[in-house]
Amino acid sequence: MALPPLATAQTTITVPTTPAAEAEDLPVQGEELAVLTDAPNVPPPITRKHPTKVKVELEVTELVKRMADGVDYTFWTFGGSVPGKFIRVRQNDEIDFVLKNHPSSKMPHNIDLHAVTGPGGGAKATFTAPGHQTNFSFKALNPGLYIYHCATAPVGMHIANGMYGLILVEPKEGMAPVDKEFYVVQGDFYTSGKYGEPGLQGFSMEKAIEENPDYVVFNGSVGSMTGEKALKASVGETVRLFVGNGGPNLVSSFHVIGEIFDRVYQEGGSLYQENVQTTLIPAGGSTICEFKLDTKGEFILVDHSIFRAFNKGALGILNADGDGDLLVFSGQKKDEIYLPEGGAIQTIPSDTATAPVASNKEERIKAGQLIYDQNCAACHLPTGSGVPAAFPPLAKSDYLNADVDRAISTVLHGLQGEITVNGAKYNSVMPILGLNDEKVANVLSYVYSQWDNSGVEVTPDQVAKVRASK
Ligand SMILES: [Cu+2]
């Protein structure tokens, strides 16, 4: 192919002064005040066919809120919750942005919107002391879903305290209508105490630098989208999730258990990919996931770096009601006994290593705690509370406290068949864990010493007797 001739002094080259997209758009008309929403709600779709002047007013507040049951944290927020308010504008809109910092704040704050073309994304222009408000304007040149965040030093700390949210710039041709839209942002948190440690928790700079979070959550707290607060939709509806990752550190492997994303606008951009199971969301990035609900039930939003979901909080629920399509999903059809070797109770390979011998009750309880965390907590939970209809509680369990030999036998030989614990029925299988006498004694001494249980000590001799009696 022949190369075009080089420009000479005589050739006039016209450099376009406005992006093509803008050139083809209608002129800016009118003005309006942006509707801002808290997660999981999204402002209504934009129906305008022309760009306008949009006024956005966002107030920063620093407040103590719930991180998990019994755990509080001082969040720094854009608009009173984490993530900050969802902002929805149209491509080529001219945004007149006011950032207010509440007089009760202890820190100055600002905002860097990734939707802004200009130095710092607006950070310097919006540096706002407590009890001040600042103003700047920008034109939303590029459509997409963008993170915004505070960028005041120490930047990491402001983000780690919850200072992020999403701004959607709809393309000028609009977005395809869907039935339900939701707003979800993942964030990692670094607390002075461990996961679940009760009380008001401070921020741990050390853990943040190590990138070792205690909490990884959606929408600012453990359980923000479970139980009563689960997202709700119906079979046949199309759902669109606007998902962000505030970080500050972790990348999210975003997944919805039991769903396949029909479309994913990767990294919140303009192109989509189809039929995706898990999509990566960078820290300081976003994604748009769309899927039609073909059957009913509970669909679980997780970060598929899965310990974050089940041990650090990154779990939410979308409930689809309506008629299930049994061809799409049958549910369990049968549960029959399968007896390859004559026993229905599974055995976890037995433990041959000998445990160090505990010389008194205190040492026994201490050793037992470790055994509990490693062998029991996955089912009975670290707090001993169990899981309704699946794993009975060990905390204040009448079944446990009524009969020590029976508890020893349960840990030695496993347990199946219907039992009643604190008035609730369980009919499940506890596996054989293969612990030696010393370990069984230690773990049960620990369990009995916790959570309002009877406090009895279980000795290896006692365990040996129960083992021999079978
Ligand atoms: Cu800040």
Side-chain angles (χ1 to χ4, degrees):
M1 195 180 85
L3 291 169
L6 287 173
T8 64
Q10 289 83 4
T11 321
T12 340
I13 300 173
T14 28
V15 179
T17 50
T18 48
E22 188 187 342
E24 293 156 19
D25 204 356
L26 293 166
V28 172
Q29 296 167 39
E31 51 181 77
E32 61 186 47
L33 186 66
V35 176
L36 305 178
T37 60
D38 288 319
N41 300 314
V42 180
I46 286 169
T47 51
R48 282 183 277 117
K49 298 285 176 266
H50 60 86
T52 191
K53 283 192 199 310
V54 182
K55 181 138 196 176
V56 175
E57 294 184 359
L58 199 50
E59 184 193 48
V60 173
T61 51
E62 301 169 358
L63 38 144
V64 173
K65 299 190 77 158
R66 175 188 167 283
M67 169 81 80
D69 289 339
V71 185
D72 288 332
Y73 189 78
T74 304
F75 293 93
W76 298 352
T77 72
F78 284 110
S81 31
V82 177
K85 302 277 185 190
F86 194 106
I87 306 168
R88 189 170 198 157
V89 299
R90 179 191 180 278
Q91 186 179 6
N92 294 327
D93 277 351
E94 292 174 8
I95 292 104
D96 182 22
F97 202 100
V98 178
L99 190 70
K100 305 174 178 182
N101 190 359
H102 196 272
S104 66
S105 293
K106 297 196 172 56
M107 297 282 171
H109 299 286
N110 65 12
I111 193 166
D112 166 354
L113 300 117
H114 291 184
V116 167
T117 305
K124 214 170 161 190
T126 56
F127 183 82
T128 313
H132 284 242
Q133 61 178 50
T134 56
N135 172 229
F136 84 117
S137 67
F138 69 96
K139 193 169 179 89
L141 299 177
N142 300 67
L145 181 63
Y146 299 93
I147 277 277
Y148 65 77
H149 62 88
C150 183
T152 304
V155 178
M157 182 178 178
H158 284 251
I159 296 178
N161 284 341
M163 298 198 78
Y164 42 76
L166 286 175
I167 173 168
L168 173 68
V169 181
E170 284 201 32
K172 60 185 188 319
E173 58 280 6
M175 296 179 81
V178 291
D179 300 298
K180 293 272 159 67
E181 292 182 328
F182 298 108
Y183 174 24
V184 178
V185 179
Q186 181 171 324
D188 27 299
F189 288 88
Y190 305 81
T191 49
S192 40
K194 281 194 295 211
Y195 178 88
E197 203 167 300
L200 178 62
Q201 294 295 319
F203 164 70
S204 167
M205 190 63 150
E206 212 175 303
K207 290 178 183 173
I209 291 169
E210 284 168 4
E211 306 190 10
N212 181 22
D214 302 281
Y215 294 86
V216 182
V217 298
F218 294 130
N219 293 350
S221 66
V222 177
S224 65
M225 290 181 287
T226 60
E228 289 284 281
K229 289 177 282 178
L231 306 180
K232 288 174 191 69
S234 302
V235 172
E237 287 186 326
T238 302
V239 174
R240 177 181 286 142
L241 302 178
F242 294 108
V243 193
N245 184 7
N249 289 318
L250 302 186
V251 163
S252 173
S253 299
F254 186 69
H255 176 77
V256 176
I257 300 178
E259 256 305 336
I260 296 150
F261 302 136
D262 298 327
R263 283 181 177 191
V264 172
Y265 290 81
Q266 283 161 326
E267 297 166 3
S270 304
L271 296 180
Y272 63 82
Q273 153 84 304
E274 291 178 327
N275 304 319
V276 173
Q277 58 194 304
T278 302
T279 190
L280 273 173
I281 316 176
S286 71
T287 191
I288 304 172
C289 304
E290 297 174 357
F291 49 92
K292 184 170 169 229
L293 289 167
D294 297 300
T295 192
K296 68 173 175 181
E298 249 183 20
F299 297 91
I300 307 177
L301 286 63
V302 294
D303 179 338
H304 214 297
S305 287
I306 209 74
F307 274 95
R308 299 178 189 168
F310 294 107
N311 301 78
K312 295 187 172 183
L315 185 148
I317 290 177
L318 168 67
N319 258 321
D321 62 11
D323 291 331
D325 182 337
L326 295 182
L327 268 181
V328 173
F329 186 74
S330 72
Q332 183 176 70
K333 290 186 170 173
K334 276 183 188 161
D335 173 4
E336 295 167 324
I337 302 287
Y338 168 62
L339 292 173
E341 293 157 17
I345 292 186
Q346 290 170 276
T347 306
I348 291 173
S350 64
D351 179 16
T352 44
T354 44
V357 179
S359 60
N360 58 38
K361 188 176 175 186
E362 213 173 294
E363 283 180 28
R364 203 173 285 302
I365 290 171
K366 198 154 174 255
Q369 174 160 22
L370 193 65
I371 301 167
Y372 184 83
D373 291 345
Q374 290 170 347
N375 295 277
C376 323
C379 298
H380 293 288
L381 299 198
T383 56
S385 64
V387 175
F391 306 118
L394 299 182
K396 230 180 180 171
S397 156
D398 56 2
Y399 185 95
L400 171 83
N401 291 303
D403 188 339
V404 177
D405 282 355
R406 182 174 64 186
I408 295 171
S409 169
T410 299
V411 178
L412 283 178
H413 309 302
L415 185 66
Q416 66 176 327
E418 188 175 284
I419 60 168
T420 303
V421 182
N422 298 346
K425 288 195 165 52
Y426 296 84
N427 192 351
S428 187
V429 181
M430 167 155 157
I432 295 172
L433 300 162
L435 300 175
N436 64 23
D437 293 356
E438 170 89 13
K439 284 192 173 174
V440 172
N442 294 354
V443 76
L444 281 174
S445 295
Y446 169 72
V447 167
Y448 276 117
S449 75
Q450 297 295 303
W451 317 308
D452 284 337
N453 287 331
S454 67
V456 299
E457 179 180 5
V458 178
T459 62
D461 286 350
Q462 233 174 320
V463 178
K465 263 190 225 134
V466 174
R467 199 190 282 278
S469 73
K470 184 152 181 188

